[in-house]
Amino acid sequence: MSDSQTTVLDAVVVGTGMAGLYMIKRLNDRGLNIQAVEAGSGVGGAWYWNRYPGCRADLPIIEYSYSFSKELQQEWDWTEVMAGQPEIEKYLNHTADRFDLRKDIKFNTKVTDAIYDEAANIWTVTTDQGDVYKTKYCIMATGCLNEPNYPGFKNADSFKGDIYHTAQWPREGVDLTGKRVAIIGCGSSGVQAIPQIAKQAKELIAFQRSPIYTFPAKNAPMNPDFLAQAKADYDDIREQQLNNEMGICNYRGPKKPKDPNAAPKPRPSKKIMDITPEQRKQEIEDFGINVLTLYVDTYYDPEANEIACELYREFLQDYLGDAQKADALSPKNYPLHCKRPVIDTEYYAAFKRDNVSIVDLRETSVEEVTPTGLRTTDAEYEFDVLVYATGFDAMTGTIKRLNIRGRDNQLLADQWKEGPRMYMGLQSVGFPNFFTVTGPGSPSVVSNVLHSIEQHVEWIDNCIGYLQENNIKTIEPELEAQDAWVEHVNKAAEGSMMTAPTCNSWYLGTNIEGKPRGFMPYLAGTKTYREECEEVVEKGYEGFKLETA
Ligand code: N01
């Protein structure tokens, strides 16, 4: 039912990335009257916005793809083991078309407000295009990495050349041929972009404040036989993903029958502390530098971790053969496994090129941006293009910027001032019928995020179905349950390198000035979390308040 300005709906879905698309499909299948709103001109979310050169998945795409449709699984042919952004964007467009989802999406439109009317039990969602949606359910599928972070350098606007952010790369692409380019940041985005930009640009200067631990991605073209076998094995692959705490099964193709006469395959040691310094070097030689990520003790024992870090730095010295460059690129003063794991394709090789240099921002700091480049405390740098690979105000940035008001007109951003407070990463107290897909307090970004997205979308959809069928007006968490969950999430992160005192990361919010330090995702694992979610439902939505109509 609509008048000229207002549309009355059952549900509004904000965002049409991997989460939003599946959410639309589920709610359509349920027969609800819905509207999705998308800021971009196309679907894909993170895979729409992040189109910088080199952008690709960091998990095998066989497992980082939708599991909800067997037909989709069978009909889509991936061309690389870790697919690139263009291919993933194409896949998501295909998904939108295949399930006829576009009809429900309003593109080039940003939600600005979502305001709850307690008496009417209705959310009023408004957009920057003047749309007004009156809806019973509001679902934020805005993703965890959506709001780009621009460092607040002095005189940032004075630069006369071109400025780009990896997370807002122009759709038409950027020709960097013959240009002098500066790139700031070396998280996953910078590490993927640097080798590609280095190939095009006349000169590339990488400004790095926290050089990263990164490991070879081992991407390759997809072998058609492997793909065919994976398709045949998909039921088993998905089952194994469900039984893994990261939502990853590391599918390696068909299991070969064991040859009883074959010599046992060499395997790396379990703990770095169990082997001698000579054995550690031998294992790096035998299994590659990635072996450092396999020693379990490096994840919880600071001494084991520091040994691994030192071996990493030595490896870098040997590989680069340039002590000064290696020193500038060496991660120091924070543990391995603190930040999100980064994998790369020829990242360090790029620094062997004559046109690539590094500025170590631990030794000098940025004073200001100038019309022709950037001035540090040590020197002035001139370039034509400035690329920010400086990440995101992650997990809470997008939601906190919106005018979301629940009961008693309270602002969600106020409730989250000291850090996000959610029950199970799904809902916040005082915001009935308002859901967040992969919200803070759920495994989301510390898992195969698409696996976590599917679980959340299904939980939310089933919950809405339950409310509809049982004539329940509202669902929202109980304060005690929410407080206990936040505590539980904090406990799960204790003792991890991700929360070590010397660790800073976007998981902790420390990349954004003024953001309170706190580990936002839930580290207990996807299997554990799914079982907890199922138990809550089995116990009649334990920890949630349900109000009947
Ligand atoms: O962002 P980041 P990202 N001065 O926050 C630096 C996902 N992703 O876009 O560490 C100087 O990791 C900052 O330095 P520091 C993935 O989950 C996935 O790279 O704060 N430097 C850091 O080096 C990933 O984790 C893929 O000291 C400044 C960098 O900028 C997440 O997105 C690909 C600075 C930011 O790194 C974010 O990755 C890409 C300043 N003022 C992204 N401010 C896949 O592979 C920030 N930095 C699927």
Side-chain angles (χ1 to χ4, degrees):
M1 194 178 69
S2 305
D3 59 29
S4 56
Q5 283 140 15
T6 306
T7 311
V8 177
L9 300 162
D10 295 316
V12 166
V13 178
V14 187
T16 63
M18 289 174 151
L21 289 179
Y22 185 33
M23 196 76 242
I24 300 169
K25 157 116 183 48
R26 289 288 293 221
L27 297 176
N28 273 341
D29 290 351
R30 195 168 284 289
L32 295 194
N33 180 18
I34 68 162
Q35 178 66 56
V37 183
E38 169 56 55
S41 63
V43 300
W47 295 107
Y48 168 90
W49 295 104
N50 293 264
R51 52 180 71 243
Y52 58 84
C55 182
R56 65 174 60 255
D58 59 0
L59 285 177
I61 200 72
I62 290 294
E63 300 182 40
Y64 182 70
S65 49
Y66 285 123
S67 70
F68 71 78
S69 162
K70 290 193 180 188
E71 295 76 18
L72 179 60
Q73 260 174 194
Q74 293 302 320
E75 74 201 11
W76 189 263
D77 290 329
W78 295 104
T79 66
E80 287 183 282
V81 173
M82 291 175 181
Q85 178 274 334
E87 190 172 10
I88 300 175
E89 191 188 15
K90 222 163 126 189
Y91 166 75
L92 294 173
N93 273 282
H94 169 76
T95 304
D97 293 330
R98 190 191 199 292
F99 299 104
D100 194 18
L101 309 178
R102 278 182 215 281
K103 63 178 184 348
D104 298 306
I105 306 172
K106 181 142 195 281
F107 290 103
N108 302 306
T109 304
K110 283 185 181 169
V111 164
T112 54
D113 307 69
I115 296 177
Y116 182 62
D117 176 343
E118 199 160 341
N121 184 31
I122 286 288
W123 283 92
T124 301
V125 178
T126 49
T127 76
D128 64 352
Q129 302 300 309
D131 310 287
V132 179
Y133 302 117
K134 300 268 183 194
T135 179
K136 187 165 175 192
Y137 308 108
C138 188
I139 300 153
M140 302 303 287
T142 40
C144 297
L145 296 159
N146 181 261
E147 190 65 39
N149 169 42
Y150 284 87
F153 293 143
K154 191 173 156 199
N155 297 328
D157 293 338
S158 67
F159 185 60
K160 295 274 182 268
D162 295 330
I163 301 177
Y164 303 102
H165 194 295
T166 45
Q168 289 180 325
W169 204 258
R171 265 182 91 68
E172 62 281 9
V174 180
D175 184 6
L176 296 169
T177 314
K179 302 270 175 147
R180 295 169 305 162
V181 181
I183 183 163
I184 310 203
C186 54
S188 302
S189 305
V191 163
Q192 287 185 334
I194 283 169
Q196 297 305 317
I197 295 177
K199 284 184 202 161
Q200 259 194 31
K202 182 171 151 206
E203 191 190 322
L204 177 63
I205 313 170
F207 290 85
Q208 302 200 349
R209 182 170 71 180
S210 304
I212 197 88
Y213 302 96
T214 171
F215 297 91
K218 299 185 180 159
N219 182 35
M222 183 68 80
N223 176 326
D225 293 339
F226 176 88
L227 181 64
Q229 189 62 48
K231 286 185 181 187
D233 290 344
Y234 247 134
D235 285 352
D236 188 40
I237 292 172
R238 298 308 188 188
E239 186 60 33
Q240 286 188 49
Q241 285 184 260
L242 284 171
N243 283 308
N244 175 274
E245 290 290 14
M246 297 285 287
I248 299 167
C249 82
N250 278 315
Y251 177 72
R252 301 248 182 272
K255 286 198 186 85
K256 296 191 183 97
K258 269 197 180 151
D259 174 358
N261 301 317
K265 231 176 146 189
R267 285 184 194 284
S269 305
K270 284 210 164 71
K271 293 184 178 178
I272 203 165
M273 296 302 276
D274 287 350
I275 50 176
T276 64
E278 292 71 31
Q279 285 171 318
R280 289 167 192 156
K281 289 202 170 149
Q282 192 57 51
E283 293 203 348
I284 292 178
E285 185 100 14
D286 294 345
F287 303 107
I289 191 67
N290 294 41
V291 76
L292 296 179
T293 64
L294 302 178
Y295 299 124
V296 289
D297 47 352
T298 63
Y299 286 85
Y300 56 80
D301 176 354
E303 197 185 335
N305 192 286
E306 184 47 35
I307 289 171
C309 294
E310 197 46 46
L311 285 166
Y312 185 92
R313 291 187 279 265
E314 282 172 26
F315 157 83
L316 205 52
Q317 287 283 352
D318 289 349
Y319 175 79
L320 285 170
D322 174 332
Q324 228 175 349
K325 246 184 194 179
D327 194 52
L329 283 167
S330 284
K332 290 173 200 161
N333 308 327
Y334 75 93
L336 175 67
H337 315 310
C338 137
K339 295 176 191 277
R340 155 102 180 183
V342 175
I343 58 170
D344 69 86
T345 305
E346 298 178 345
Y347 174 62
Y348 290 124
F351 288 92
K352 288 190 168 184
R353 298 172 66 109
D354 291 338
N355 66 333
V356 181
S357 59
I358 171 161
V359 177
D360 185 348
L361 292 179
R362 295 167 301 190
E363 298 293 324
T364 181
S365 55
V366 176
E367 277 205 324
E368 63 171 340
V369 174
T370 68
T372 53
L374 203 147
R375 183 179 301 116
T376 69
T377 42
D378 280 358
E380 183 144 0
Y381 297 89
E382 296 206 339
F383 40 82
D384 311 307
V385 179
L386 175 53
V387 176
Y388 288 112
T390 44
F392 304 85
D393 182 354
M395 306 203 71
T396 56
T398 306
I399 289 179
K400 280 178 77 176
R401 279 170 177 78
L402 299 180
N403 185 29
I404 300 169
R405 291 182 182 274
R407 288 191 197 279
D408 305 322
N409 206 31
Q410 63 181 308
L411 191 64
L412 189 62
D414 283 345
Q415 214 189 74
W416 288 12
K417 215 184 278 168
E418 302 305 323
R421 299 198 74 78
M422 297 200 87
Y423 180 43
M424 310 201 82
L426 285 159
Q427 281 204 302
S428 275
V429 170
F431 297 80
N433 298 348
F434 185 94
F435 300 91
T436 301
V437 184
T438 61
S442 72
S444 63
V445 284
V446 286
S447 67
N448 171 352
V449 73
L450 183 48
H451 181 79
S452 289
I453 283 171
E454 287 192 319
Q455 185 259 337
H456 252 198
V457 165
E458 286 161 18
W459 193 97
I460 293 168
D461 172 54
N462 289 336
C463 171
I464 289 175
Y466 180 82
L467 304 183
Q468 297 281 101
E469 283 150 25
N470 292 282
N471 212 15
I472 294 165
K473 207 170 81 170
T474 60
I475 182 167
E476 74 179 281
E478 285 164 0
L479 185 58
E480 272 173 27
Q482 178 172 283
D483 288 347
W485 185 259
V486 171
E487 193 56 38
H488 181 60
V489 169
N490 290 338
K491 274 233 147 17
E494 271 175 20
S496 154
M497 290 298 156
M498 290 175 162
T499 54
T502 50
C503 179
N504 286 304
S505 70
W506 58 261
Y507 291 137
L508 288 162
T510 51
N511 63 327
I512 303 296
E513 217 182 305
K515 194 164 171 172
R517 181 185 170 97
F519 193 77
M520 293 181 281
Y522 178 44
L523 253 187
T526 47
K527 179 172 183 283
T528 300
Y529 175 74
R530 190 181 63 254
E531 286 164 3
E532 286 170 326
C533 286
E534 283 166 4
E535 195 182 331
V536 159
V537 174
E538 276 157 25
K539 292 185 173 166
Y541 288 90
E542 188 180 46
F544 288 96
K545 243 184 307 189
L546 306 181
E547 240 179 49
T548 38

